[in-house]
Amino acid sequence: MKIVVLVKHVPDAQFDRHLTGPGNTTDRDESILSELDEYALEAALQLSEARGGAKGGNEVIALSMGPAGAVNAVKKSLQIGASSGAHLSDDALAGSDAAATSLALAAAIRYLGADSPVDLVLTGMASTDGETSLVPAQLAERLGLPQVTFASSLDVDGDRITARRDGDAHADTVEATLPALVSVTDQINEPRYPNFKGIIAAKKKKITALTLADIGVDAAQVGAAGSLTAVETAEARPPRTAGTIITDEGDAGIKLVDFLAAQKLL
Amino acid sequence: MAKALVFIDNPGAALKKSSLELLTIARSLGEVAVAFNGELHDDVAAALGAHGASVLYRPSAADLDDYLVAPKAAYLAAAVAASGAGTVLLENTADGKEIAARLGVKLNAGVITDVVGVDADGTAHKSVLAGSYTTTAKARTAVAVLTVKPNSVDVESPAAASTPEAVTVEVPSDATANAARITGRAEKAASGRPELTEARIVVAGGRGVDGNFGPLGELADALGGALGASRAATDAGWIGHDYQVGQTGKTVSPQLYISAGISGAIQQKAGMQTSKVIVAINKDAESPIFEIADFGIIGDLFKVVPQATEEIKKRKG
C-alpha cells in the first residue's frame, strides 16, 4: 500500500500566535508538527505494519508544504516511522488560502503517485492553525477521490475501506473504495513517540525537495496571487482581563447567582 | 439585484435558529433563494417564504443522505448555477464546511469559514487563531461561499412575506459515483439539552469533577444550558467525546460559559475564550482560567455548584 500522509508545521499553541506582514499570514517561528497530524501518521503506520511494513511493499510518505522550517514536520514524521518524506517549498506559496493550498498539494500527490499510484491520502481532522478543515475535502474534490472525513476508526480490507464517524446525534459506518482520502480524528488511536532507533534511522531516510516547477504548478495559481480569498484586516483581540475573584466562604454559590442575575443571564 | 443562496440540509419539522440567521444575512445581501435537501414540510416552506425566500430549490435525487458530502456539493453547485447567486451561505458545521470546500473547487469560488458577520458588500468577519485575532476577509471571486457560525446575528423577519416558487435542480448523474457511502447508522440517546455549539449557556467540567458530572448537569438544566467538558474529562472516559470543548473538540461562543474544575490550559481556552461572560470555579487559585474569568470562585465545585443550582431554582420559583 502506498500512503501519503499530510503533515503540517504549525505554530505551537502553547505560545501566543501571531498574524504578520501585508497578507496577514501566520507567523511560523516556534512551530511544531501539528498535533492532529500525528493521528493520521499513526493510522498510516498501523495500516502499513499490518501488511508487513516496507518488506510487504508498503510505503508511508510524509508530505508537507511550507517554508524551509516545514521540513521539520517531515523529519519528525520520519523519526516516528514514515518511510520517506517530501517537502513542497516555494516562495510563491506564501499566503496560500485553502483553495491554493489544496491545488498545490493535489499536484504534489499526483507527482508522488507518478511511478506507482497512491492508494490512500491520510490527513488530520484540521490543522491547529488555520482550523478551516477545508483542505481534505478540497483535495478529495481535486483528485476525484471519495472522501471519508472525521474517521474515528479505519479498516482497510483489500480495496474496501470501512470507517466510523461520530456525530452528535448518531454514529455512522461509512464505506468507500480505494484510492481514497481519509481524515482522522484524535479518537482513532494513540500516536507513538519517536524512539532512539527511529531517530537514528530517520537520518538515512530520503526527503524529496519539491518546487512548483517539479509539480507543474504555475506561481500565479498559488500564494496570495492564486488565493480565492484575501484577509483584508486583522486585529489582535484585546486580552481578556480577570474580573472579580472570590474565595468560597460557604456562600459562593449564592454570590454566583447574584452575579448571573446582575448580568441578566438567569 | 444581487442574489444570495442559502443551503439548508434536512430542514426537519421546523427551521432551526441557525437557518433563520442565514436567511437574515442573505436578505441583507440581496434577493434570497434557498436550496434544501430532504423532506420539506408545508409549514417549513411557508416559514422560508415568511423569511424572504423567493425560490426553493430541491434536488432531483432523494438519496443524497446516503453518502458523505460529495453529492450534496454537486447538487448545490447546480443550484448556484440555476440561481445566479453571488453568495452562498451554509451552516458552519463539519458537513457544511466540507460541502462549502468542494463547492469552492467546483465553482472556483473563495470559501470563508467560521464567519460571524457579513457586511452588505460581502466582507466577512471572523476570528482566527483560537479567538486571539478578529479578521475581515473577502472572496476575490464572482461567487463567495461563506459558512456562518450560530448566534452570529439577531433573527429578523422581512416586512412582507413571499410565496416561494419551487424549482427542481437536476443532481448530476455522476454525483454519487465516487462518493463514500453511509452503510450504517446508530442513533445516540438524546440528552434533551441544547446542542453544545449553539447553546446560549454552557456549563463545562474538567479534571476537577473527578468522574461525577451529575452536579454540572443539574446546573446546566437549571440554566437551560448545554453540558461541556475538557479533554482531560473526555480522555478519562467520564463523558463522551461529543462534549469536548477546546482546540481538538468543539469551539463554543455562548453568552455564558461556566468552567468548573478546569485549569484552563491554552487548548481549552482556545475553544471558549470568545464566550461573552466567563465564570470559573476551581480549588486551585493558580489556575490559568482565573486570568480570563469575569467572575472566579476559588472553592470546591461540589459545594459551590449544587448551592448555585438550588438558588437558581429558588429564584425561578
Side-chain angles (χ1 to χ4, degrees):
Chain A
M1 235 186 148
K2 185 168 180 176
I3 307 173
V4 173
V5 183
L6 298 186
V7 293
K8 190 170 180 186
H9 192 56
V10 298
D12 191 339
Q14 303 284 352
F15 303 110
D16 283 336
R17 296 173 291 173
H18 301 284
L19 298 179
T20 176
N24 294 305
T25 52
T26 315
D27 181 355
R28 295 187 183 277
D29 297 345
E30 308 280 0
S31 286
I32 55 165
L33 169 61
S34 179
E35 186 195 331
L36 293 170
D37 296 343
E38 293 182 20
Y39 299 90
L41 179 59
E42 179 64 37
L45 294 175
Q46 288 183 11
L47 286 170
S48 164
E49 286 160 3
R51 284 158 184 75
K55 288 193 185 96
N58 296 284
E59 214 183 329
V60 175
I61 307 170
L63 166 64
S64 189
M65 165 180 145
V71 78
N72 290 328
V74 179
K75 284 182 179 165
K76 175 92 184 280
S77 305
L78 298 181
Q79 293 175 352
I80 294 171
S83 39
S84 66
H87 177 211
L88 171 61
S89 192
D90 202 301
D91 289 346
L93 286 165
S96 294
D97 71 351
T101 300
S102 63
L103 185 139
L105 285 172
I109 290 166
R110 282 191 204 103
Y111 176 93
L112 294 173
D115 51 347
S116 68
V118 173
D119 299 296
L120 186 61
V121 179
L122 273 169
T123 78
M125 60 190 265
S127 65
T128 53
D129 53 352
E131 292 183 67
T132 65
S133 296
L134 293 174
V135 168
Q138 295 204 320
L139 261 181
E141 178 76 31
R142 290 187 192 281
L143 295 169
L145 298 178
Q147 73 172 81
V148 178
T149 43
F150 297 99
S152 57
S153 78
L154 175 63
D155 291 301
V156 180
D157 182 10
D159 69 347
R160 180 135 217 90
I161 306 179
T162 308
R164 181 186 156 99
R165 282 179 118 224
D166 281 301
D168 288 320
H170 44 81
D172 291 338
T173 306
V174 175
E175 291 185 10
T177 311
L178 292 178
L181 177 139
V182 178
S183 81
V184 303
T185 72
D186 58 347
Q187 300 300 298
I188 192 169
N189 54 40
E190 286 290 329
R192 67 192 74 178
Y193 294 102
N195 56 29
F196 181 71
K197 205 177 140 199
I199 292 167
I200 297 300
K203 296 187 177 177
K204 292 185 187 152
K205 292 177 182 171
K206 187 176 148 202
I207 299 178
T208 307
L210 298 175
T211 62
L212 289 177
D214 294 323
I215 60 170
V217 169
D218 191 272
Q221 292 175 277
V222 295
S227 289
L228 306 183
T229 58
V231 177
E232 300 194 323
T233 64
E235 272 178 63
R237 196 185 172 90
R240 283 192 94 103
T241 48
T244 312
I245 310 279
I246 62 165
T247 302
D248 184 19
E249 287 166 342
D251 61 351
I254 315 275
K255 285 182 174 159
L256 168 57
V257 180
D258 287 340
F259 170 80
L260 297 181
Q263 299 280 329
K264 302 194 178 358
L265 286 165
L266 281 189
Chain B
M1 194 179 177
K3 286 182 184 169
L5 180 69
V6 174
F7 178 61
I8 303 179
D9 199 2
N10 288 298
L15 285 177
K16 287 196 297 181
K17 183 167 167 280
S18 51
S19 302
L20 297 174
E21 291 183 38
L22 295 183
L23 290 164
T24 301
I25 294 171
R27 280 200 311 279
S28 72
L29 299 171
E31 200 179 309
V32 179
V34 169
F36 71 92
N37 168 54
E39 202 183 336
L40 186 70
H41 293 265
D42 288 346
D43 42 352
V44 171
L48 290 170
H51 285 272
S54 57
V55 188
L56 299 183
Y57 295 102
R58 66 171 72 231
S60 61
D63 64 346
L64 302 188
D65 284 327
D66 296 347
Y67 302 86
L68 291 190
V69 299
K72 290 179 185 174
Y75 155 60
L76 191 53
V80 174
S83 68
T87 309
V88 186
L89 298 168
L90 300 94
E91 269 192 82
N92 197 58
T93 56
D95 279 3
K97 287 195 270 190
E98 289 183 359
I99 294 168
R102 299 188 78 118
L103 186 65
V105 171
K106 283 179 192 296
L107 302 176
N108 196 37
V111 183
I112 304 173
T113 58
D114 300 315
V115 172
V116 295
V118 185
D119 297 342
D121 71 346
T123 300
H125 297 255
K126 60 184 282 184
S127 74
V128 301
L129 293 181
S132 54
Y133 280 81
T134 53
T135 60
T136 59
K138 221 171 166 175
R140 304 164 67 205
T141 47
V143 177
V145 181
L146 311 179
T147 67
V148 183
K149 290 175 105 168
N151 301 319
S152 291
V153 293
D154 293 325
V155 172
E156 293 164 12
S157 299
S162 58
T163 306
E165 174 198 358
V167 177
T168 299
V169 169
E170 203 60 37
V171 177
S173 56
D174 60 351
T176 58
N178 213 12
R181 195 179 175 89
I182 299 168
T183 55
R185 171 158 289 186
E187 301 292 335
K188 293 184 179 175
S191 69
R193 297 194 179 104
E195 215 272 301
L196 184 54
T197 51
E198 292 182 12
R200 206 177 68 88
I201 293 174
V202 173
V203 180
R207 208 182 294 279
V209 307
D210 203 16
N212 180 10
F213 269 85
L216 297 189
E218 285 169 27
L219 178 59
D221 290 340
L223 288 164
L227 199 55
S230 72
R231 183 164 181 179
T234 58
D235 278 357
W238 299 337
I239 191 164
H241 181 65
D242 306 345
Y243 291 86
Q244 188 184 316
V245 172
Q247 193 162 38
T248 57
K250 294 187 166 115
T251 304
V252 299
S253 194
Q255 299 288 112
L256 170 64
Y257 186 89
I258 299 180
S259 154
I262 300 178
S263 68
I266 196 146
Q267 288 85 346
Q268 211 326 277
K269 278 196 212 163
M272 48 65 82
Q273 67 176 349
T274 57
S275 303
K276 289 235 168 48
V277 174
I278 296 173
V279 169
I281 305 162
N282 203 300
K283 270 198 253 187
D284 179 5
E286 304 296 318
S287 295
I289 190 76
F290 287 124
E291 294 163 15
I292 62 166
D294 299 288
F295 190 73
I297 298 169
I298 302 163
D300 180 353
L301 73 94
F302 290 105
K303 295 199 174 106
V304 177
V305 169
Q307 188 182 45
T309 306
E310 280 316 305
E311 183 67 15
I312 290 163
K313 286 184 184 162
K314 208 159 83 191
R315 292 195 194 188
K316 285 189 171 173

